Amino acid sequence: MSISESDKKLIWHPYTQMKTSEAPIPIVKGDGIYVYDESGKKYIDAVSSWWVNLHGHSHPYIAEKISEQMKVLEHVIFAGFTHPKAVELAERLIKKLPTNQSKIFYSDDGSTSVEVAVKMVFQYWHNKGTEKKKIIAFKNAYHGDTFGAMSVSGRSAFTMAFTPFLFDVIFIDAPVKGKEKKSAEQLKKIVKNNDIAAFIFEPLIQGAGGMIMHEPEPLEQLVEICTKAGILTIADEVMTGFGRTGKFFATDYINVKPDVFCLSKGLTGGTLPLGITSCTKEIYNAFLSDNSAKTFFHGHSYTANPVACTAAIASLDLLEKNECWENIKMIERKHKEFCNTLKGNRKIKRAESVGTIMALEIETVENTSYLNSLKDNIYNFFIKRGIILRPLGNVIYFMPPYCIKEEELNIVYKAIRDFLGEI
Ligand SMILES: *Cc1c(COP(=O)(O)O)cnc(C)c1O
């Protein structure tokens, strides 16, 4: 039996309609920006394997570090114990984060980093003796698939079956072009309520919601409104962290600093799952008490897994090299140039980029949405060409590992141009 046939017998895939979807492609090897299927055909990983990969697949340096760590300490309970890799990673990250960040809480992935953030802010107020039960989020937001993360995400096809079970969240417009004022005005009205615990947002670009971008200035204004009103702010940098938007963090583009950060995806360079929620001293201090009921009762079996922490440290080593930032800048420049060449193309509603992420919204008679029927056509067109470009409905996005070369970027741009020629 082939790998695909055996897979079909037993495996249920994520975000996949198992009745109608085509058999998954078995990948047996990864190297740099490429992954290889069993027949030896190679594919450019133009989506960085769901936005996680930074330095290319099977990176020898990360592989070596992980392998060494495996032989020394694979895992240890993280309550009552610690280990050098968790400490080293915390020390290195805290230097990258804004100076108001003082504590690192480990978890498993992006969704759990958001769960931790949401629980942290609710309990912060609870511990201080003021119940604040509301969270503000952007319409179209995506913060993950667990219940708390779903609750603070925009209501969509993803959350439909669960709507009755999600807690109430106040949604405002994201400050996209033309809606900057509206968004700030909505927020100013809401912050007058005194039951708001926090404001959570994806800085500069809303990922799964359709790669929708906004400028730093209007975001800075929103964070400032909250900070002045005594409302905690949570930056979900799960997708945008680690150079994706051209700076180390997307919130490095704004001057007012959020109270909480959620990190995952690129954290380990895309090799192993790991989540981090960082917070200010002020938040942390609200949990310190002789009353054990004020403890933060949250933890996962694999909290701060030493191998995952080692991968994250190795990825930071690579991210600290000039070469990596030169490449990020090169991708940023090439994306901008490509978007400019598409100006005036009537098949396109929107072509824009931020840092290493480029998005193209294809004009269609249907509404722009994840369920748009163009999705499969787009996907199959690029797969045939040996390019993994898994669109969000009618939104094509290109988010490569940072080690991609100019010629390889050009191959993908050419394929996109050819696709536009065919529709
Ligand atoms: C992907 C994503 C998440 C969820 O992360 P997982 O690791 O998939 O659970 C949360 N927030 C944002 C902004 C994301 O892009």
Side-chain angles (χ1 to χ4, degrees), residues 395-416:
V395 178
I396 296 179
Y397 65 90
F398 180 19
M399 187 193 297
Y402 305 156
C403 58
I404 195 166
K405 298 195 177 68
E406 267 197 77
E407 314 84 86
E408 295 162 332
L409 284 167
N410 289 339
I411 292 170
V412 178
Y413 297 141
K414 165 127 194 350
I416 293 175

Side-chain angles (χ1 to χ4, degrees), residues 51 109-112 114 142-145 202 208 236 238-239 264-265:
W51 325 343
D109 51 53
S111 300
T112 56
V114 170
Y142 178 80
H143 296 291
D145 287 349
E202 294 161 272
D236 179 351
V238 168
M239 179 183 82
S264 188
K265 290 199 170 127

Side-chain angles (χ1 to χ4, degrees), residues 5-17:
E5 283 161 355
S6 307
D7 174 288
K8 195 173 168 67
K9 268 181 109 169
L10 289 172
I11 298 178
W12 191 347
H13 286 263
Y15 281 90
T16 302
Q17 175 43 258

